[in-house]
Amino acid sequence: MPRLYTITPQIWRDDFLCYNTNVNLADLLKNSLDSALLDLIHRIADESSALGFPIYLVGGSVRDLMLARPILDLDLTLEGDAIKLVRALVKKHGGELTTHEKFFTATWTPQSSNSQILDLISTRREIYSAPGSLPTVTKSTLDDDLRRRDFTINAMAIRVDGEHFGELYDPLCGQSDLEKKLIRVLHPKSFLDDPTRIFRALRYAERYGFTIDPESLKLVNDGSRKVLSTLSGERLRHEFDLIFEEPNPSTMLKQLAELDVLKSIRLRITSYELPLLDDPSPAFGEFAVPDMLSFQQTLCWVLWLMNSSVSEIEDVAERLAFPVLLTNAAVFASALKQELPSCKNWKPSQWTFHLDELPSLSVYAVYLVSKENALSEYLSKWQHVKPLTTGDDLKARGLAPGPRYGEILRHLRAAWLDGEVGTEEEERQLLATLVTDR
Ligand code: ATP
């Protein structure tokens, strides 16, 4: 018999309280998840059950399951000791345990190489000692765990152990809001506690085509914007990074401006149009900021900022604690975009020697918005053009090492780029004139 969840009504809207019905989503789970994932959930749930810990699929996993969207990360939460559970899993099935005791979280890396790494999290309560601070975390019940979350659609759980498999816990009417396509906060202080939720609300609304509940939207006000202005650059930048992982970031940037969020965090950028990135060329994937940003995120940052002046970019970079690589890519892209009209009649060698000094990502970003053919020629061909002659050849010809080496090799490269030589023999003849010229 599914447990009925009873809660004390401490919430701010009279119509906001949902008494749980006996909804069982076992069939939805069985029909939506592939068999390997289901099998993994059962293995974990069996172990959890043996330890007497009820275990649930929560948050984004439940939301995406109900929206019939692919589940990318398994969010599993248990009312019990996550570290004990992972220890038991490792003992029975092998693999590795990593513990994060402060956060009541343990990670299980199963033995098989194609299994995903799983975070198992003990249900917790979070208390914000001051607006915008990071919360103090203590172990608590599922109910508290759901109430610490951002939006009703992210505050549901489905129990997955034993005979309880499939029971839905939805004390805050998430399912009903999903049906109404509404993003709704759980209490009026939500954006004061954590104003990064403003960014999250816009992301979910845009991603799913939902609306932000008008009462929740009113909470984006002077109070929450003030708290937002106190957040660290890293925390704020992370929210933009997440926006740049979504398919259409422009709309969200525009909304952030309309809600005066950009102004409140001292971003003076006034353009929001980014080209749609249906197909960012994978050939340029190497331009991501290592260990920090994906290629798409890096590119979006540069595309957004390159419409601004260098001093505006530097302000943003300082406020949002940019890595140097990203600042440089944006600054050079901005400069290249501005100087483009004056480069129109350049020879390939002029383009190449100029673009060689810039980060390739800047060149690629400016190409995406300008479609300047010379930029794509540079990226695909010109930058790789080298003369056949090497420094060793010059040495073998008896030329004393020095700056002349570089000049000669540069001259030969320019000749290839500009079509003045096209064969080994022509290069040899040109080299002979250069060497005797000196
Ligand atoms: P996404 O598809 O964007 O990854 P997600 O729901 O899986 O969505 P996560 O950032 O992985 O998002 O967070 C997992 C869950 O943790 C959320 O569904 C939400 O319940 C909760 N959560 C995350 N960030 C916050 C926050 N800032 N405040 C409150 N709850 C949060």
Side-chain angles (χ1 to χ4, degrees), residues 257-330:
E258 284 163 3
L259 291 168
D260 282 340
V261 166
L262 296 186
K263 206 160 74 185
S264 74
I265 52 174
R266 293 194 282 112
L267 297 202
R268 295 186 282 136
I269 313 261
T270 49
S271 74
Y272 320 106
E273 288 310 318
L274 264 60
L276 284 179
L277 291 174
D278 295 337
D279 181 25
S281 168
F284 301 109
E286 70 198 76
F287 302 142
V289 179
D291 300 328
M292 188 185 264
L293 299 175
S294 69
F295 170 48
Q296 169 155 328
Q297 287 170 326
T298 320
L299 184 59
C300 280
W301 272 115
V302 175
L303 287 169
W304 185 34
L305 295 181
M306 75 181 181
N307 297 318
S308 307
S309 68
V310 169
S311 76
E312 283 168 339
I313 295 171
E314 283 169 352
D315 281 352
V316 175
E318 194 197 335
R319 175 65 184 99
L320 301 184
F322 273 15
V324 176
L325 227 85
L326 186 55
T327 314
N328 282 346

Side-chain angles (χ1 to χ4, degrees), residues 62-81:
V62 176
R63 177 198 70 219
D64 287 341
L65 187 77
M66 287 180 169
L67 289 172
R69 289 176 67 103
I71 295 182
L72 303 175
D73 288 318
L74 260 193
D75 299 318
L76 284 168
T77 292
L78 58 139
E79 285 182 300
D81 185 338

Side-chain angles (χ1 to χ4, degrees), residues 122-364:
S122 302
T123 47
R124 84 267 307 278
R125 183 193 176 106
E126 289 181 349
I127 295 171
Y128 293 84
S129 57
S133 63
L134 292 174
T136 312
V137 180
T138 48
K139 258 196 214 170
S140 192
T141 59
L142 175 69
D143 190 50
D144 279 340
D145 193 275
L146 296 179
R147 283 172 192 286
R148 74 176 169 88
R149 290 175 185 263
D150 46 5
F151 308 112
T152 57
I153 60 164
N154 285 343
M156 293 182 273
I158 303 175
R159 194 162 165 181
V160 289
D161 54 294
E163 60 179 14
H164 298 282
F165 185 81
E167 286 171 13
L168 174 69
Y169 294 88
D170 178 19
L172 299 163
C173 302
Q175 195 176 21
S176 152
D177 280 345
L178 263 191
E179 279 158 17
K180 292 187 210 145
K181 301 182 176 228
L182 273 184
I183 310 293
R184 191 198 301 263
V185 294
L186 307 191
H187 57 83
K189 283 178 62 203
S190 183
F191 290 154
L192 290 176
D193 283 345
D194 180 356
T196 64
R197 292 172 185 161
I198 298 170
F199 289 76
R200 297 179 65 84
L202 296 179
R203 263 197 303 124
Y204 291 124
E206 176 61 21
R207 187 195 295 166
Y208 301 124
F210 284 15
T211 308
I212 301 177
D213 148 65
E215 294 296 315
S216 302
L217 199 58
K218 277 191 204 151
L219 302 173
V220 184
N221 55 25
D222 286 347
S224 50
R225 279 189 291 260
K226 193 160 170 229
V227 182
L228 198 61
S229 73
T230 66
L231 297 195
S232 71
E234 285 84 356
R235 232 176 127 189
L236 288 170
R237 205 208 57 238
H238 180 65
E239 294 306 321
F240 286 98
D241 293 344
L242 294 175
I243 281 181
F244 290 144
E245 275 296 325
E246 302 286 332
N248 189 7
S250 301
T251 324
M252 289 170 269
L253 294 177
K254 197 149 179 274
Q255 287 164 339
L256 286 171
E258 284 163 3
L259 291 168
D260 282 340
V261 166
L262 296 186
K263 206 160 74 185
S264 74
I265 52 174
R266 293 194 282 112
L267 297 202
R268 295 186 282 136
I269 313 261
T270 49
S271 74
Y272 320 106
E273 288 310 318
L274 264 60
L276 284 179
L277 291 174
D278 295 337
D279 181 25
S281 168
F284 301 109
E286 70 198 76
F287 302 142
V289 179
D291 300 328
M292 188 185 264
L293 299 175
S294 69
F295 170 48
Q296 169 155 328
Q297 287 170 326
T298 320
L299 184 59
C300 280
W301 272 115
V302 175
L303 287 169
W304 185 34
L305 295 181
M306 75 181 181
N307 297 318
S308 307
S309 68
V310 169
S311 76
E312 283 168 339
I313 295 171
E314 283 169 352
D315 281 352
V316 175
E318 194 197 335
R319 175 65 184 99
L320 301 184
F322 273 15
V324 176
L325 227 85
L326 186 55
T327 314
N328 282 346
V331 164
F332 282 116
S334 159
L336 177 61
K337 188 164 171 246
Q338 278 177 40
E339 69 189 356
L340 217 48
S342 61
C343 313
K344 283 278 174 231
N345 298 319
W346 278 7
K347 292 195 282 187
S349 61
Q350 284 175 289
W351 278 109
T352 302
F353 294 137
H354 184 60
L355 299 177
D356 274 351
E357 303 301 315
L358 311 186
S360 302
L361 179 62
S362 311
V363 180
Y364 180 58

